[in-house]
Amino acid sequence: MQRGQHDQLFMKICEALPLLASITGGYATVTDGEGRRIKTFDSSGRELEDYAGTVYELAAQSHRENRSLIGESQIVKGAQAWVLPVGPFVVSCSNVEKVKREQGLKRALEKALPLIARVAGGEAVLFDREGKRLASYNPDGTVNKEFLHKVSEAAKRAMELHEPVIGDSMSYPGAMAVRIPITRDYGMGFNNELAAKNNTKLYEEVKKFQYARYNFSDIIGESEVMRRVIDMGRHVARGMSTILIYGETGTGKELFAQAIHNASERSHKPFVAINCGALPASLIESNLFGYVEGAFTGAKRGGAPGIFEQAQEGTIFLDEISEMELNLQAKLLRVLQEKEVTRIGGDKPIPVNVRVLASTNKDLEKMVREGKFRSDLYFRLNVVELKIPPLRERASDIPHLVMHFIRKYNALLGKYVTDIEEEALEILVQYRWPGNVRELQNCIEHAINMVKDEQKISAGHLPPYIRRHFRVPAERGRAPVPRETLAETLARLEKEVIEKTLREVQFKKKEAAEILGISTTTLWRKMVQHGLQE
């Protein structure tokens, strides 16, 4: 080749190199026959002078054999290059910049995996084109060694299809995972393992018990108002009708539900309870009615029965029924009316024979008026109404409850507390107990923990928030003076006036109502509210 032709060919090759580098996403080089680099350009068209004079063996081999070749890049491990002899020169292109970017992205993703795992609430992984895990992190950000290097067929399928694949997680049953291909060589995935674990734990917590442990003999109450409720509970337990149990938080609605079941003809059958306010609507529905296989993503193989089926011929207790969403209320009403349940995703009605007990701490009548609770379901549930009085309306029961809890926590905590001082008991009797019996139980547990060498609970052993509620005089022996809110003072005065009037007319309600200027219905309601009786 003549000198002029030689130079002209070299110039044309140099003009083409930036274009070739841009297209291949890497470097483009022209070498001589010995493989020495003459000019090298990156994909932005910038000449890389530092590479001039370096020898590229693949280019030299291409010139010797006078054929194009494909091989590894000399610059970046894992990158590929092709070489093509052109007269006395060899043109070479590689994808080194593309590989550099992919490797940088891979390092960034691997660095981000612990954060992704925490945010997603599950395992986060990086996998290769065969679905093998290259890196794996737990929801707490630690390395998951158990599943490292294991192959996921779903991840492999995502790489083959080069599109995201959603399916069951291989690391935790019930969890869902998404696998996303990032490049041709690797992808990433994450699951909702923590959410699945929490849902399982939550379900086990709200599905409180599969049997009823308590009887009416376990319910502590010597006051007249409590005796009436217990007697009514014993009486209605023998029937078949649904019962709606009203009561503030901590009054013992669950205790009554179990006692009713154990006093009924169904006592030898299952007792299943579920808290309607502690689970999302989707979980409540599937756990109430069950589901068939394939009904939704994550459904167990073979499906699962709901608690209506689990409680067959027994009792189902729907705690906090007021928290159930309206659409589920309609489905529950249909089950109660038709006495059959259809699993989610299924079309076969399953006959059920269960007695339903429900509880609430809210005014369902008011919720019906406000459109927050279905009136037809309310009337279906409220066949028998049982109202558990708050602890403040049966203060005479407090000493009995205190001694019961002292015996209980002596055994649990290894203490030898024998009694409670009069001053401390007076405080407990006068306190209003917004948390009811449950709050009193926690109070006694606290007090017994505070007792050291003494054998009695004193006022100083009570929780600070209760002690602060009272002004205890410096001289001992005097009763503590309660601090009352305006509402508490008015309620106490109202009770005193009603009780005084009733006694004056020998509990003739009509006459007392006329003196007080209220209807007999209102008088009766206030008598119940204040625990007044003949």
Side-chain angles (χ1 to χ4, degrees):
M1 180 179 291
Q2 296 180 358
R3 181 68 180 177
Q5 292 175 327
H6 180 280
D7 293 343
Q8 189 175 13
L9 177 60
F10 179 73
M11 290 179 61
K12 287 183 178 180
I13 291 174
C14 289
E15 287 177 3
L17 288 180
L19 298 177
L20 293 171
S22 176
I23 292 171
T24 57
Y27 294 168
T29 299
V30 58
T31 72
D32 61 17
E34 302 297 324
R36 285 187 294 269
R37 296 177 186 262
I38 304 171
K39 283 185 178 292
T40 302
F41 291 87
D42 63 17
S43 60
S44 66
R46 180 171 59 94
E47 183 177 356
L48 306 176
E49 297 179 352
D50 291 344
Y51 289 103
T54 60
V55 176
Y56 187 21
E57 180 55 38
L58 188 65
Q61 180 184 351
S62 174
H63 186 269
R64 287 195 304 270
E65 298 177 4
N66 194 28
R67 65 188 182 96
S68 58
L69 298 172
I70 294 177
E72 291 187 0
S73 166
Q74 182 187 34
I75 299 172
V76 175
K77 185 178 180 180
Q80 288 188 317
W82 55 262
V83 290
L84 176 67
V86 181
F89 306 107
V90 178
V91 176
S92 172
C93 286
S94 68
N95 61 347
V96 294
E97 288 187 311
K98 179 183 177 182
V99 171
K100 279 184 178 180
R101 286 193 298 270
E102 289 182 357
Q103 290 176 346
L105 177 59
K106 185 178 178 181
R107 287 193 297 271
L109 282 175
E110 188 167 356
K111 188 176 180 179
L113 283 182
L115 304 178
I116 295 172
R118 289 182 180 180
V119 173
E123 184 192 19
V125 303
L126 199 67
F127 50 82
D128 62 17
R129 63 172 63 192
E130 298 301 321
K132 185 174 72 174
R133 298 184 182 207
L134 305 175
S136 177
Y137 289 87
N138 293 310
D140 61 0
T142 59
V143 175
N144 186 343
K145 296 180 180 179
E146 181 182 359
F147 289 95
L148 196 61
H149 305 310
K150 289 192 176 181
V151 174
S152 165
E153 290 300 323
K156 182 179 180 180
R157 188 165 66 253
M159 295 301 292
E160 291 171 348
L161 299 174
H162 205 66
E163 62 182 34
V165 170
I166 298 176
D168 294 338
S169 168
M170 66 178 287
S171 61
Y172 186 79
M176 299 301 297
V178 58
R179 292 88 173 178
I180 307 168
I182 305 299
T183 70
R184 294 175 61 88
D185 296 317
Y186 65 87
M188 68 165 292
F190 54 87
N191 63 30
N192 63 341
E193 174 185 333
L194 198 58
K197 285 182 177 179
N198 287 341
N199 282 339
T200 301
K201 182 179 178 182
L202 184 59
Y203 175 58
E204 292 304 321
E205 287 178 354
V206 297
K207 187 179 171 184
K208 299 170 190 173
F209 20 72
Q210 291 293 312
Y211 63 96
R213 295 172 291 175
Y214 299 108
N215 299 288
F216 281 109
S217 59
D218 297 310
I219 300 176
I220 298 171
E222 300 298 328
S223 63
E224 183 63 28
V225 63
M226 198 61 177
R227 283 186 173 277
R228 287 180 180 179
V229 177
I230 293 173
D231 288 344
M232 183 179 179
R234 289 182 189 274
H235 178 69
V236 299
R238 295 191 292 269
M240 300 289 293
S241 300
T242 56
I243 299 175
L244 185 58
I245 305 173
Y246 278 95
E248 296 178 5
T249 299
T251 52
K253 299 186 291 295
E254 297 171 5
L255 199 65
F256 269 86
Q258 292 189 44
I260 289 170
H261 172 77
N262 280 332
S264 73
E265 294 180 353
R266 297 172 180 260
S267 59
H268 61 292
K269 297 295 183 179
F271 176 85
V272 184
I274 189 168
N275 189 321
C276 300
L279 284 176
S282 59
L283 284 178
I284 283 286
E285 183 175 6
S286 61
N287 288 315
L288 276 178
F289 311 127
Y291 57 85
V292 299
E293 182 176 346
F296 49 83
T297 302
K300 292 181 181 178
R301 183 175 298 176
I307 61 176
F308 272 96
E309 293 179 64
Q310 296 173 32
Q312 187 69 272
E313 298 185 357
T315 303
I316 180 172
F317 175 46
L318 304 176
D319 195 11
E320 304 300 346
I321 190 68
S322 57
E323 304 304 313
M324 181 176 285
E325 294 189 1
L326 285 170
N327 66 319
L328 284 183
Q329 292 178 26
K331 295 180 180 180
L332 174 61
L333 176 65
R334 189 160 55 250
V335 172
L336 296 180
Q337 290 176 336
E338 303 298 329
K339 298 188 184 302
E340 61 183 26
V341 64
T342 302
R343 293 187 183 184
I344 298 174
D347 54 10
K348 180 183 177 182
I350 302 171
V352 290
N353 173 16
V354 297
R355 186 184 195 182
V356 175
L357 308 179
S359 76
T360 179
N361 61 2
K362 294 184 178 179
D363 186 342
L364 286 189
E365 285 190 68
K366 181 181 178 183
M367 292 183 68
V368 169
R369 291 193 299 270
E370 295 173 347
K372 297 178 180 178
F373 200 87
R374 292 181 63 101
S375 59
D376 45 9
L377 178 59
Y378 169 69
F379 292 120
R380 187 68 185 81
L381 291 172
N382 199 36
V383 176
V384 176
E385 182 178 291
L386 198 64
K387 288 192 174 181
I388 314 301
L391 188 55
R392 62 182 173 274
E393 293 180 9
R394 54 185 188 105
S396 61
D397 289 333
I398 290 177
H400 302 287
L401 288 164
V402 167
M403 292 310 300
H404 169 74
F405 291 135
I406 286 176
R407 289 190 295 270
K408 174 181 178 179
Y409 287 108
N410 270 340
L412 288 176
L413 302 176
K415 296 277 189 170
Y416 301 95
V417 177
T418 59
D419 206 344
I420 182 169
E421 292 183 0
E422 185 177 345
E423 181 185 19
L425 183 60
E426 184 66 21
I427 290 175
L428 299 184
V429 170
Q430 293 191 40
Y431 183 62
R432 301 297 290 172
W433 298 109
N436 293 292
V437 179
R438 187 178 299 144
E439 184 184 4
L440 175 61
Q441 178 176 341
N442 293 339
C443 170
I444 299 303
E445 182 181 3
H446 170 91
I448 290 182
N449 272 291
M450 294 299 105
V451 171
K452 295 181 180 177
D453 300 324
E454 308 92 332
Q455 289 186 317
K456 291 185 178 183
I457 294 174
S458 68
H461 295 137
L462 300 180
Y465 77 92
I466 290 182
R467 298 201 309 270
R468 287 194 298 268
H469 191 78
F470 293 85
R471 299 190 301 271
V472 181
E475 57 271 26
R476 297 183 59 81
R478 286 177 52 187
V481 181
R483 292 176 177 172
E484 289 185 326
T485 64
L486 178 59
E488 291 170 343
T489 301
L490 292 174
R492 177 172 54 81
L493 292 174
E494 181 181 69
K495 177 181 179 180
E496 292 174 359
V497 170
I498 292 174
E499 186 174 22
K500 180 181 178 182
T501 304
L502 285 168
R503 293 190 183 281
E504 288 177 352
V505 298
Q506 297 180 339
F507 280 83
K508 296 175 183 177
K509 297 183 182 63
K510 185 176 181 181
E511 191 173 337
E514 290 176 356
I515 295 173
L516 295 169
I518 57 178
S519 67
T520 53
T521 302
T522 301
L523 174 60
W524 178 85
R525 179 171 55 80
K526 289 184 177 294
M527 287 176 65
V528 173
Q529 177 183 339
H530 294 300
L532 299 173
Q533 61 280 326
E534 299 181 29

